[in-house]
Every structure is written in C-alpha cells, then in structure tokens.
Amino acid sequence: MPENRDIKKKNTTKEKILTAATALFSHYGYKGASVRKIAAEVGIRESALYNHYKNKEEIFLEVAKNIFSSPFSFSEDEVKELAFRGKPFLQKYTMQYKMLTFDRKNENMFRLLMIELMQNKSLREQFMSQYHDKNIALLSEGFFIMMQNSLIRSCDPMLIAYEFISTLFYIRLQVTLLRFDAYSTNSLATQFEKHVDFFWESIKI
Amino acid sequence: MPENRDIKKKNTTKEKILTAATALFSHYGYKGASVRKIAAEVGIRESALYNHYKNKEEIFLEVAKNIFSSPFSFSEDEVKELAFRGKPFLQKYTMQYKMLTFDRKNENMFRLLMIELMQNKSLREQFMSQYHDKNIALLSEGFFIMMQNSLIRSCDPMLIAYEFISTLFYIRLQVTLLRFDAYSTNSLATQFEKHVDFFWESIKI
DNA sequence: GTCTATACGTTGATAGAC
DNA sequence: GTCTATCAACGTATAGAC
C-alpha cells in the first residue's frame, strides 16, 4: 500500500523530477534536455538529482514508460458487440484515438516518440509491437467480425486494419505538428470523422 | 559555367564535407553529429572545416536542402492523361513513391526529416507545404479528373487524396524504421501494391 | 536530501603559424 | 587551405560537508 497517498498528495522530489523531465524530454528530446535543465526546473542542483535516479538514462526510461501506456479501453466483449454493428465500432475507436491526439499528456508522449523514434532502437521495436501490431490486432478482429456478418466487403482484415490505422496516424502527426507551433488545427478538426465516413463507404456492402 | 566538371570530377573538400555531413546528420541528427566527427570523416581538422562553411548550422541547411528536392516527375499533361485512365495513375504514382522509399539517398533524407521534424520549426513548415500540400494538390487533381470521367465515386478530391497519401506515408515510415535496424522488409514489400488495389476498389464505380 | 566543489569529457569556434 | 594550440561553455557524474 502506498501509504495515505489518496488523502495527501505527496509531490515528492522524485515526482517533481519526473514531471520536469517529461516536459523537457518531450520538448527537446533526450540529448536536448540536459540534467542541468531538469534540475533547474525542479529547483535543485544536479547532484541532488542523483539521489533519486542513478543517471540520466534511468530518468528517461521512467518517462518513456508512459509512451505506450495508453491502451484503448476496449474489452473483448465490447469489440465483438460493437463490431457486430459495423460503423459504430470505427466511430468509437476513432473517437478514442482523437481524444488521445488532443490530450496534453498523450500529445507529449507522442512527440517524444517521434523525436526519439529514429534514435532509439528500443523505441522503434516498441512502436512496432506495442503501437502498430496492437492496433492492427484489435482493428482486424473488428473487421473480421464485420465480414462474417456481411457488413463489409470481403478482404484481408489485416489489410483493412492497416489502411484504417495509417490514416489515423497521419492525422495525429499533423495535428501534433500544428499544435507544437501553436497553429490552429481547425482545418484538421473534422478529419477524423471524415476519415471514418469515407472509410465506411469504402468497405460497406 | 562550373568549369570542366563533366570531364573531371572535382570532389572538392567542400563536397566531401557535405557528403560526410549528410551521412552523419541523417544517422545521428543535428545534435548527434558533431563538427569533430564530420571533420574526422572527411579527414581534416575541425578548424579547416570553417574555411568552407561559416558554422555547423550552415552545413546543416545545405544538407537539409535535399530533403524536399525529390519531386515526382509528373508533368501537367502526364497527370491528365494518366488520371483519365484511372487506376494506372495511382499505380504509377505509388511506384514512384515506393522507389523514393527504397532509394538510399532519399531514405537518408526521410530519416533526417523524421529526426528533426519535432526539433526544427522550418522543417515542420516545409513538410506541410512542400511535402503534404504538394502531394495533396497533385493527387486531388488526378482524382478530380477521374470523377469528371465517372471512373470513381463522387467525393471531395482533397479528402480522397488525403486518405491515399496518408497510407503511403505510413508504409514509408515503417519501411524506413525496419531498414534502419537492417530488419527484413519482406512483410511490407507488397504493401504499396496492396494499398493501390484496396484503394481502387474503394473508390471505383 | 541538498548543498558546494570538483572532476573530466565533449562541444562549437577562433587565432595564428605554415 | 590546413595545421596546432587554445578557448569558454556545456555535458554527465562523483565526493564529502552540512
């Protein structure tokens, strides 16, 4: 039991470090966020920081844990039930994806992922297995059910899933880029919904 | 006139620097590629490097010029002619995109783009205008022609273009990631073609 | 747990001899 | 144009006093 955390918010130095590190890493990347800056952000000296983490790498790994920790809240039964109805499944899935895209915390983690993707082999592999494969698996299961129920045209469910998720990813990337520079995302605001509509027209029978 | 460059390949120090810098930047990013490493790669001292470029930034900008300098070789007439035939237009466009994806030089530039996209505002804006907008413009023109000729179902050409290019981008990203770690791209080898086939089935009348 | 002090490698860049 | 020498700033990290 983590003590009486529910009553009194601890906000320990260690937590402060993680918060500061998250902000700096997701903004400047691993190399760009120096230990000095992190310590300064917390309000302590670099040396004090080493009382809580072994080194910079350890801090980063702690931060990076959150990159792939936002699974969709879809239960097995929920997938089956929704997929049976067709389009509503895609709509709910996309709405959840859109929420993640515009959620500050997840936005930061997505940016960190994009910054470090080409620099960190572990992150690349996690992206493939925990982001890509996971999404493909969930979606293709849904499409398979739709196919069984003759809601959509016959086709490889994995291919349909690939086609569907790739556009979601691209929209998310664009939104993240625009928001990073505080540009308006008005032109992309309804892109998620348009995608679902277009896609459903493409596969429905 | 650049002298007798056609006969005797100059391969000046300045060119060597650019080559070395390109390799290092596209592998380690701007911060990861130090001036020392670039100089060492060329075989000179850092100080000698400053006889050819004002500073590191100037070298990077010279390298970065090549990121968006690979336009598709589509003339206005070619678009009209091919789009009139429908699917062959998508096939040719995709084959060119696939070539770029697997071309070493373009692969390096794409990786550099991905590495620096979140770190460099200028690159973000160029990505939007010179990559995204340009592709959307070319593709939507093709889809518009197809629509006029009743080859495909009626829909916003820009939306169709968006849907089409987003998947190409995602495939390219995945291929680049896999190749970076020298992993096999067999599982993705035919993804481009599958995309065209699926997409054509989605929009044709 | 935090501080000061310190160590030591790396970075981008310049001055001046050849 | 290239070299040696040198620089200040910044990087991560440790030792030891309080």
Side-chain angles (χ1 to χ4, degrees):
Chain A
M1 256 176 281
E3 299 180 14
N4 52 345
R5 190 178 296 190
D6 41 355
I7 296 172
K8 183 178 159 194
K9 198 184 177 193
K10 296 290 286 291
N11 215 358
T12 63
T13 301
K14 190 159 187 171
E15 286 167 351
K16 280 190 204 162
I17 293 171
L18 206 61
T19 304
T22 300
L24 289 166
F25 278 138
S26 68
H27 206 94
Y28 303 107
Y30 184 79
K31 304 198 79 143
S34 68
V35 176
R36 265 179 168 78
K37 281 181 196 158
I38 297 173
E41 184 81 9
V42 175
I44 57 174
R45 296 288 136 121
E46 307 95 272
S47 53
L49 200 145
Y50 288 91
N51 284 316
H52 305 278
Y53 292 95
K54 201 180 69 187
N55 53 27
K56 188 184 181 181
E57 178 77 9
E58 196 178 272
I59 305 176
F60 177 77
L61 290 177
E62 197 67 23
V63 171
K65 275 184 188 171
N66 296 312
I67 295 182
F68 299 103
S69 69
S70 301
F72 288 107
S73 47
F74 271 101
S75 67
E76 274 291 303
D77 292 341
E78 213 168 354
V79 169
K80 279 173 186 157
E81 189 217 336
L82 270 171
F84 185 78
R85 295 172 54 210
K87 195 175 177 183
F89 172 75
L90 296 183
Q91 285 173 320
K92 180 164 187 199
Y93 188 92
T94 303
M95 277 312 101
Q96 287 206 20
Y97 197 94
K98 185 179 181 179
M99 295 261 289
L100 290 184
T101 301
F102 284 94
D103 170 70
R104 283 286 171 208
K105 185 169 175 281
N106 280 287
E107 188 184 15
N108 282 340
M109 289 302 101
F110 183 74
R111 222 169 43 214
L112 180 54
L113 172 66
M114 286 296 101
I115 294 175
E116 295 300 321
L117 196 53
M118 293 289 177
Q119 313 272 348
N120 191 314
K121 184 170 179 175
S122 165
L123 234 46
R124 281 193 289 279
E125 285 166 349
Q126 285 181 69
F127 171 74
M128 288 296 188
S129 63
Q130 296 193 45
Y131 176 87
H132 177 74
D133 291 352
K134 222 173 198 169
N135 276 312
I136 293 287
L138 204 161
L139 280 170
S140 62
E141 193 190 331
F143 286 124
F144 180 70
I145 293 170
M146 293 182 207
M147 236 170 271
Q148 281 185 314
N149 291 278
S150 303
L151 293 174
I152 61 175
R153 62 184 164 97
S154 192
C155 188
D156 176 13
M158 301 253 295
L159 175 62
I160 307 189
Y162 195 100
E163 296 279 326
F164 191 76
I165 195 67
S166 60
T167 301
L168 291 183
F169 179 87
Y170 191 77
I171 301 173
R172 184 174 189 178
L173 177 62
Q174 279 205 312
V175 167
T176 305
L177 290 178
L178 289 174
R179 280 163 64 93
F180 197 32
D181 297 320
Y183 287 151
S184 165
T185 52
N186 280 350
S187 57
L188 282 169
T190 57
Q191 201 71 28
F192 283 110
E193 290 82 351
K194 284 180 190 166
H195 172 54
V196 174
D197 291 340
F198 173 85
F199 204 84
W200 182 250
E201 287 300 313
S202 299
I203 58 173
K204 74 165 185 195
I205 293 181
Chain B
M1 257 175 278
E3 298 181 13
N4 51 344
R5 189 178 298 189
D6 39 355
I7 295 173
K8 183 179 160 195
K9 199 182 176 195
K10 294 290 285 293
N11 215 358
T12 63
T13 301
K14 190 158 186 173
E15 286 167 351
K16 280 190 204 163
I17 293 171
L18 206 62
T19 304
T22 300
L24 288 166
F25 279 138
S26 67
H27 206 94
Y28 303 106
Y30 183 79
K31 305 199 81 144
S34 68
V35 176
R36 267 180 168 74
K37 283 180 196 158
I38 297 173
E41 183 83 8
V42 176
I44 57 173
R45 295 288 136 122
E46 307 93 272
S47 52
L49 201 145
Y50 289 92
N51 283 316
H52 305 278
Y53 291 95
K54 203 180 67 188
N55 53 26
K56 188 184 181 182
E57 178 77 10
E58 197 178 271
I59 305 176
F60 177 77
L61 290 177
E62 197 67 22
V63 171
K65 275 184 187 172
N66 296 311
I67 295 182
F68 300 102
S69 68
S70 301
F72 288 108
S73 46
F74 271 102
S75 67
E76 273 291 303
D77 292 340
E78 214 170 354
V79 169
K80 277 173 188 158
E81 189 216 337
L82 269 170
F84 185 78
R85 295 171 54 209
K87 195 175 179 185
F89 172 75
L90 297 184
Q91 286 173 321
K92 179 164 186 198
Y93 187 92
T94 303
M95 276 313 100
Q96 287 205 21
Y97 197 93
K98 186 179 181 179
M99 295 261 290
L100 290 183
T101 300
F102 283 94
D103 170 70
R104 283 285 170 209
K105 186 169 175 281
N106 280 287
E107 188 185 15
N108 282 340
M109 287 303 101
F110 184 73
R111 221 168 46 214
L112 180 54
L113 172 67
M114 285 297 100
I115 293 175
E116 295 300 323
L117 195 54
M118 292 290 178
Q119 311 273 348
N120 190 314
K121 185 170 180 177
S122 166
L123 234 46
R124 282 194 287 280
E125 285 167 349
Q126 285 181 68
F127 172 74
M128 288 296 188
S129 62
Q130 297 194 44
Y131 176 87
H132 177 74
D133 291 352
K134 223 174 198 170
N135 276 311
I136 293 288
L138 203 161
L139 280 169
S140 63
E141 193 191 330
F143 287 123
F144 180 69
I145 292 170
M146 294 183 208
M147 233 170 272
Q148 279 185 314
N149 291 277
S150 302
L151 294 174
I152 62 174
R153 61 185 165 94
S154 192
C155 187
D156 176 12
M158 301 251 297
L159 175 61
I160 308 189
Y162 195 100
E163 295 279 327
F164 190 76
I165 195 66
S166 60
T167 301
L168 291 184
F169 180 87
Y170 191 76
I171 302 173
R172 183 175 191 176
L173 176 62
Q174 279 204 312
V175 168
T176 305
L177 290 178
L178 289 175
R179 280 162 65 92
F180 197 31
D181 296 320
Y183 287 152
S184 165
T185 52
N186 281 349
S187 57
L188 281 170
T190 57
Q191 201 70 28
F192 283 110
E193 289 83 351
K194 285 180 189 165
H195 172 54
V196 174
D197 290 341
F198 173 85
F199 204 84
W200 183 249
E201 287 300 313
S202 299
I203 58 172
K204 74 167 185 193
I205 293 182

